[in-house]
Amino acid sequence: MQRPEMCERIDARIESVWTDWEMRPSAEADDATWCRRVFLDLIGRIPSVDELEAFTDDRSPQKHVALVQRLLHDDRYTAEYANHWAGIWTNLLIGRSGGMDRRSLTDRSGMQKYLRDSFAGNRTYDKIVFDLVTATGTTKPGTENFNGAVNFLVDKVNAEKGTLATSSTSRIFLGQQVQCTQCHNHPFNQWKQQKFWEFNSFFRQTRALRRFQSGTRDIDHAELIDQDFAGEAGDPDDALVFYELRNGLTKVAYPVFTDGTEVDVSGFVSDVNRRQELARLMLQSEFLDKMIVNRMWAHFLGYGFTRPIDDLGPHNPPTHPELLDELAAEFRRSSYDLKKLQAWITLSRPYRLSATKNATNELDDPSIGETPKFSRFYLRQMSAEQLYQSLLTATGATPEGSYEEQEQQRRRWLQQFVVAFGTDEGDEATTFNGSIPQALMLFNGELTRRATKTETGGFLDRLTRTSKSPRESVRRLFLAGLARQPTAPEIRIAGKLMAAREGDQKEMLGDMWWAILNSNEFIMQH
């Protein structure tokens, strides 16, 4: 099992930038740190003690490749992989609060089901994009004509002439920020007001219909349909769209893709299905490939090749243009296989590096405005979803109840997090001004109680019984939570706690585990 050839090309491109900047990269992260890192990024949680020790004890030179392939392709991890990436894309497509409001037409469960099934079956990225842009059907699982993919657009097409569908589709999939050109030409990039309304014209045959509970006026679900568009002049043979310039003049737009490709001006679906034509043109665009590569690179390395990651074009040149082009082209040649792209990045040299700076790369710090050189691993905080799943792993318990029940528990927990700390998209993020330990102190509800309980059969009980000594138990505890050995001062603290607990090893471990789970280090991706 060999490292993919594409990894060598990534390494070469990144290393050439280090040479140009006379920069020496940080040392490679140790095995435990890398293992924790890749578990969090690929399946959304820290590894268990057994999983971590199995990797660190492995002496095979190909064990990194083997672990990545196992997490991506082994049936034991399929559900976790699918749930993790479905969560990421649900938040991206409809937001963390999407489908939560009773007035919303979006069904969050329907969106998640489509994405979960797609990632579990390794549906290729081009097909996922085509589904999301062209889907018709109902939003709610169990209803006639259910198609979970419609939940991306169902709440975006009716209001304000589908402008939200326009801006979201172009930004998420093509990395083209068009939202401010609805009313005026963009001051910095090539997007003009005309281009916005030409792109918008692709969505004008699409409507979201409310479907009511039988015999009531209560909305049960919604249905996304394609229907003929008469145009704003009332002539479906020439279904034009009007928009107003800032000087008050009115102009006309027809469906034209961002590269200038025109489609039939008819508004009759039987003549041309505008959304399907849009999806076809999107799949031909190099921006589709570059955008997903940029997004994936940012997921694994902390920063993309552009800032923001979803703003591509001549006005915002990438930090590593040749690498972005190569990865995008190879991803297309590899039939848009997301798992291949994920393997290339996680097995590359930049992903293997330690977060510790050296004398030559201290200025490689994007957090202070420097362009990323990827000469070290950039520390970042876990997402709320990763924290939840990692706390579940810390309990060592198997989740109980059906998938729906587990998801309801998870959603309630995450919703509390969003409300309290503003991790939702938008300006709310600035309201989080407490320290990480203070934040985690608030999480000491059921999850932390389960993680630190000392009853027979629990995680700490099993750790005590399978370790040779209290010192060995503490060592494995630190590996499980932080992917490192305890320091000498931490060992001394454990000894003092052992004495304070009158020799009760499980009580000492409970105290140490609580401190680990409430530390800055635990919720950092390092």
Side-chain angles (χ1 to χ4, degrees), residues 361-374:
N361 69 356
E362 287 182 335
L363 291 180
D364 185 4
D365 189 352
S367 68
I368 60 173
E370 294 292 326
T371 58
K373 315 299 187 302
F374 306 106

Side-chain angles (χ1 to χ4, degrees), residues 5 64-65 124 128 131 161 228 310 500 504 512:
E5 186 269 339
H64 296 82
V65 178
T124 57
I128 291 174
D131 291 347
K161 301 180 180 180
D228 295 338
D310 49 9
D504 190 325
M512 293 296 292

Side-chain angles (χ1 to χ4, degrees), residues 114-413:
Y114 166 76
L115 292 168
R116 198 167 59 249
D117 291 347
S118 296
F119 290 118
N122 197 27
R123 190 165 179 77
T124 57
Y125 182 68
D126 58 330
K127 292 177 180 176
I128 291 174
V129 173
F130 192 89
D131 291 347
L132 293 168
V133 174
T134 66
T136 59
T138 58
T139 57
K140 183 179 177 181
T143 56
E144 187 177 359
N145 299 323
F146 167 68
N147 181 354
V150 302
N151 284 288
F152 167 55
L153 288 176
V154 73
D155 242 354
K156 299 180 176 76
V157 294
N158 284 4
E160 300 180 1
K161 301 180 180 180
T163 54
L164 186 54
T166 306
S167 59
S168 295
T169 302
S170 60
R171 176 181 59 81
I172 292 171
F173 300 117
L174 300 174
Q176 298 181 336
Q177 302 260 2
V178 303
Q179 53 271 27
C180 73
T181 60
Q182 177 182 344
C183 304
H184 56 81
N185 291 337
H186 199 291
F188 305 120
N189 67 30
Q190 73 273 29
W191 273 87
K192 306 301 180 186
Q193 193 178 2
Q194 176 81 14
K195 276 185 173 292
F196 178 92
W197 290 104
E198 289 171 345
F199 200 89
N200 170 266
S201 298
F202 285 101
F203 296 97
R204 301 303 281 274
Q205 292 175 322
T206 309
R207 300 298 293 168
L209 306 178
R210 292 170 172 81
R211 300 304 187 195
F212 299 94
Q213 294 179 7
S214 180
T216 74
R217 298 299 295 170
D218 296 330
I219 298 173
D220 182 68
H221 60 278
E223 183 173 8
L224 197 66
I225 65 167
D226 290 323
Q227 64 181 22
D228 295 338
F229 173 54
E232 294 181 336
D235 180 5
D237 287 316
D238 186 28
L240 51 82
V241 167
F242 294 124
Y243 68 95
E244 188 175 303
L245 299 177
R246 298 184 75 176
N247 61 13
L249 294 177
T250 299
K251 294 195 70 175
V252 171
Y254 293 103
V256 180
F257 192 58
T258 58
D259 64 359
T261 303
E262 303 176 7
V263 303
D264 194 327
V265 299
S266 172
F268 289 111
V269 176
S270 58
D271 290 338
V272 57
N273 184 308
R274 291 186 176 187
R275 276 198 295 151
Q276 292 201 5
E277 288 301 302
L278 172 62
R280 181 181 61 80
L281 291 165
M282 287 173 63
L283 296 189
Q284 295 173 3
S285 171
E286 65 175 343
F287 284 101
L288 182 86
D289 314 342
K290 290 181 179 180
M291 183 59 243
I292 184 59
V293 164
N294 206 28
R295 188 179 300 284
M296 282 291 176
W297 187 271
H299 170 82
F300 290 105
L301 275 303
Y303 291 89
F305 299 118
T306 63
R307 190 183 300 185
I309 60 169
D310 49 9
D311 189 12
L312 304 178
H315 64 286
N316 191 23
T319 57
H320 299 69
E322 296 88 357
L323 178 54
L324 178 58
D325 288 347
E326 277 188 50
L327 278 168
E330 189 64 26
F331 182 58
R332 180 179 286 264
R333 283 193 290 269
S334 298
S335 303
Y336 296 97
D337 188 331
L338 286 166
K339 290 187 176 181
K340 284 187 178 180
L341 176 58
Q342 291 161 358
W344 299 338
I345 298 174
T346 53
L347 292 170
S348 69
R349 188 181 179 194
Y351 190 76
R352 289 276 293 272
L353 297 177
S354 164
T356 304
K357 302 176 185 178
N358 62 43
T360 70
N361 69 356
E362 287 182 335
L363 291 180
D364 185 4
D365 189 352
S367 68
I368 60 173
E370 294 292 326
T371 58
K373 315 299 187 302
F374 306 106
S375 67
R376 63 184 181 87
F377 189 81
Y378 305 120
L379 291 173
R380 60 183 184 270
Q381 188 175 316
M382 285 186 199
S383 69
E385 291 81 3
Q386 287 173 320
L387 180 55
Y388 178 82
Q389 295 303 136
S390 294
L391 285 172
L392 283 184
T393 300
T395 69
T398 303
E400 298 176 354
S402 65
Y403 171 80
E404 289 74 16
E405 292 169 338
Q406 294 174 35
E407 182 58 28
Q408 287 175 2
Q409 295 171 8
R410 175 176 173 272
R411 196 176 294 174
R412 282 195 298 270
W413 190 89

